[in-house]
Amino acid sequence: MIKVGIAGGAGYTAGELLRLLLNHPQVEVVSVSSNSQSGLPVTEVHKDLLGETTLVFQSGDLPAMDVLFLCLGHHKSLEFLAETNLPKSTKVIDLSQDFRISKGDNSFVYGLPELYREDIRDAHYLANPGCFATAIQLALLPLAKSGKLQQPVHVHAITGSTGAGVKPLGTTHFSWRQNNLSTYKAFQHQHLWEINQSLRFAGSDHPEINF
């Protein structure tokens, strides 16, 4: 069995990840950590898992595990890894944007299997692609690889309300969201960086992406 832990276990992403892991025949979830919910049963927050698990949110030192998923907020994964002494044998899969862009000191592999399948097989640190970035790349990469991506690309994408995370904001309330669309980060969305990075890797002439 693969022993798995989750850091930042109280959010929407962690809840969906937990559902998948608890039903995986080769996985044992040994730790779900959350500083804000420490000591509470996981099902107090993720009520859809009632009857599926008796896990309790933890904080502090982590138990031994084979794989650690980071479901922390953006810019928090970098801090967590700097402050936490993980065994060298523990593999890390980060679901934030902190390690998606390749840098000289970045040992994370970008986790899009359609582009980096072989690298992912041997990766010790994995940066999970963004949601918009994944959808857009799957549409554009075949064109880029075949040399047919020559003109500017226009993308109109819509996400659901959970994309804003658990922490309530003025624009996440039902009265604002219901039957409404609102524009955010037009032409400067953070996922553009990883999309452009992958298109360059695929050998594209890097056309303009209007997202």
Side-chain angles (χ1 to χ4, degrees), residues 49-97:
L49 298 178
L50 191 64
E52 298 290 327
T53 181
T54 58
L55 285 164
V56 173
F57 287 113
Q58 304 171 354
S59 61
D61 294 337
L62 297 173
M65 63 187 72
D66 301 306
V67 181
L68 176 63
F69 286 89
L70 303 183
C71 295
L72 303 160
H74 297 313
H75 310 303
K76 297 296 183 181
S77 293
L78 190 62
E79 295 177 8
F80 177 88
L81 291 179
E83 298 169 353
T84 306
N85 291 321
L86 291 175
K88 291 184 178 180
S89 60
T90 301
K91 296 187 177 183
V92 176
I93 301 177
D94 180 37
L95 276 72
S96 79
Q97 67 184 26

Side-chain angles (χ1 to χ4, degrees), residues 25-72:
Q26 298 178 21
V27 166
E28 178 188 0
V29 181
V30 297
S31 173
V32 182
S33 65
S34 170
N35 291 332
S36 63
Q37 307 295 332
S38 181
L40 288 177
V42 166
T43 52
E44 282 290 311
V45 174
H46 304 300
K47 298 184 184 298
D48 59 309
L49 298 178
L50 191 64
E52 298 290 327
T53 181
T54 58
L55 285 164
V56 173
F57 287 113
Q58 304 171 354
S59 61
D61 294 337
L62 297 173
M65 63 187 72
D66 301 306
V67 181
L68 176 63
F69 286 89
L70 303 183
C71 295
L72 303 160

Side-chain angles (χ1 to χ4, degrees), residues 131-140 143 149 151-159 183-189 191-192 195-196 199 207-211:
C131 52
F132 278 134
T134 298
I136 294 170
Q137 287 175 96
L138 292 182
L140 298 183
L143 295 172
L149 194 61
Q151 301 296 324
V153 176
H154 301 273
V155 181
H156 177 207
I158 301 173
T159 187
T183 303
Y184 79 107
K185 297 183 180 179
F187 308 113
Q188 55 183 359
H189 196 281
H191 288 187
L192 274 171
I195 295 168
N196 289 329
L199 290 177
E208 181 181 8
I209 309 293
N210 299 298
F211 173 29

Side-chain angles (χ1 to χ4, degrees), residues 12 21 24 28 52 64 71-72 81 86 98-99 109 126 128 132 148 163 197 201 209:
Y12 292 132
L21 293 176
H24 196 296
E28 178 188 0
E52 298 290 327
C71 295
L72 303 160
L81 291 179
L86 291 175
D98 290 12
F99 301 101
V109 170
L126 198 64
N128 198 69
F132 278 134
K148 296 180 180 179
Q197 174 180 257
F201 179 84
I209 309 293

